Amino acid sequence: MAEAALLNVNNLEAWYGESHVLHGVSFDVRKGEVVTLIGRNGAGKTTTLRSLIGVVGKRRGTSLFKGVDLLNVAPHKVARLGIGYVPEERGIFSTLSVIENLMFPPAWQAGGMEIDEIYSLFPNLKGRDHTPGTRLSGGEQQMLAIGRILRTGADFILLDEPTEGIAPVIIDEIGAALRILKARGMTIILVEQNLRFAASVADRHFVLDQGKVVDEISNNALDANMDRLNRYLGV
Ligand code: ATP
C-alpha cells in the first residue's frame, strides 16, 4: 500500500540559459509508487527529471524529498540521498564490459544491489560479464544502465524513456523487472511515451504540457480517460 508523499514537487520552474522551459510543475510521489510523466515531445518531461537532480541552468520552486529541498542539494550529492537517474541516452560506459559497468557505479552507498541479484532481475545480462557495452542491444544497454543504478543503493529511480527504440519482447522484460523492483518497495518516476508499457507498471500518470502538469490520471482510470489523454498527446 502506498504511503505518504516521498517527493513533493511544487511550482517547479526551470531555465536553460534564457529559455524558460518549466512553468510551475507540481506533482507528488508516494513511497513505493511508480508514477509516469507523459506528454508530447518538448512538454518538459526530461527537464523535470533533470531539474530534480540539479542539472539544468536555473530552477525555482520546491522539490521536497524526504523533507530536503532538492533545489538546495548540489547535483553530485543527490545520489547520496538515494536517488538514481537513468538518462534516455542510458549512461553506460560503452567501451567497458558488462561486469566492469556493474563494478563502477556512479556513486555508492549502503544497500546497493548485488551483481547476482541484478543478473536474476535481467537474465539477458547473465553470462555476458565480458561483453563490451557496444555489443549489447539497445534493450540490454537499458538493462545494464538500470543495473548500474541499482548498484548504487538508490531506492528512488528516475527513468527517462527506457522503452525508446527497444524491441517489444525486451520492453516486456524491462516491465517485469520494474514490477519486481516496485514489489520490493522501490519508488520510480518514469518518463514514458509508450502508454501500454506505462499502464503495465504505473500507479498514477501525470500529464505534462508546455512545462506544466495539466492533469493526473490514476492507472485504474486510464482506459476510461484515453480520449482525454490522447488529446493531450495530440494523437
Ligand atoms: P522529448 O520527449 O522530446 O525529450 P520532453 O517532454 O522530455 O520531450 P524536454 O526535453 O524536457 O521535453 O524539453 C522541453 C523544452 O526544453 C523543449 O522546448 C526543448 O527544446 C527545450 N530544451 C531541452 N533541452 C534543452 C537545452 N539543453 N537547451 C535549451 N533548450 C532545451
Side-chain angles (χ1 to χ4, degrees), residues 107-121:
W108 201 205
Q109 57 179 19
M113 197 177 270
E114 296 297 332
I115 289 177
D116 281 349
E117 272 183 281
I118 289 171
Y119 286 161
S120 72
L121 199 57

Side-chain angles (χ1 to χ4, degrees), residues 51-197:
S51 298
L52 296 179
I53 62 164
V55 291
V56 294
K58 189 174 108 187
R59 298 172 293 173
R60 200 156 65 191
T62 53
S63 296
L64 282 182
F65 177 70
K66 297 180 182 168
V68 175
D69 190 348
L70 295 176
L71 270 66
N72 298 326
V73 179
H76 68 281
K77 294 197 172 155
V78 169
R80 291 187 209 160
L81 298 174
I83 299 178
Y85 173 54
V86 183
E88 195 173 351
E89 58 277 13
R90 295 178 191 133
I92 61 164
F93 294 104
S94 54
T95 53
L96 298 185
S97 69
V98 167
I99 191 77
E100 285 166 339
N101 267 285
L102 293 174
M103 294 297 281
F104 298 110
W108 201 205
Q109 57 179 19
M113 197 177 270
E114 296 297 332
I115 289 177
D116 281 349
E117 272 183 281
I118 289 171
Y119 286 161
S120 72
L121 199 57
F122 298 116
N124 297 48
L125 299 178
K126 201 173 174 164
R128 312 282 296 281
D129 273 8
H130 303 294
T131 304
T134 44
R135 299 281 298 276
L136 300 175
S137 72
E140 290 162 352
Q141 289 183 15
Q142 184 66 52
M143 292 172 175
L144 183 56
I146 297 171
R148 283 186 79 230
I149 290 305
L150 296 173
R151 291 282 287 151
T152 68
D155 58 6
F156 193 162
I157 301 188
L158 314 179
L159 280 177
D160 198 348
E161 295 209 39
T163 65
E164 171 77 24
I166 290 178
V169 60
I170 304 278
I171 291 179
D172 289 346
E173 288 172 23
I174 292 173
L178 296 188
R179 285 190 291 276
I180 291 170
L181 292 174
K182 175 177 155 62
R184 291 186 189 174
M186 195 76 75
T187 309
I188 299 172
I189 302 180
L190 182 67
V191 164
E192 194 49 73
Q193 310 252 17
N194 178 335
L195 283 185
R196 184 182 152 271
F197 177 77

Side-chain angles (χ1 to χ4, degrees), residues 189-219:
I189 302 180
L190 182 67
V191 164
E192 194 49 73
Q193 310 252 17
N194 178 335
L195 283 185
R196 184 182 152 271
F197 177 77
S200 76
V201 292
D203 300 294
R204 289 187 293 157
H205 308 275
F206 292 98
V207 184
L208 264 90
D209 192 32
Q210 298 183 30
K212 277 189 172 183
V213 171
V214 292
D215 212 339
E216 174 189 337
I217 303 173
S218 79
N219 200 44

Side-chain angles (χ1 to χ4, degrees), residues 16 21 40-47 161 193:
Y16 290 111
V21 171
R40 305 172 193 234
N41 289 338
K45 306 177 296 293
T46 297
T47 305
E161 295 209 39
Q193 310 252 17

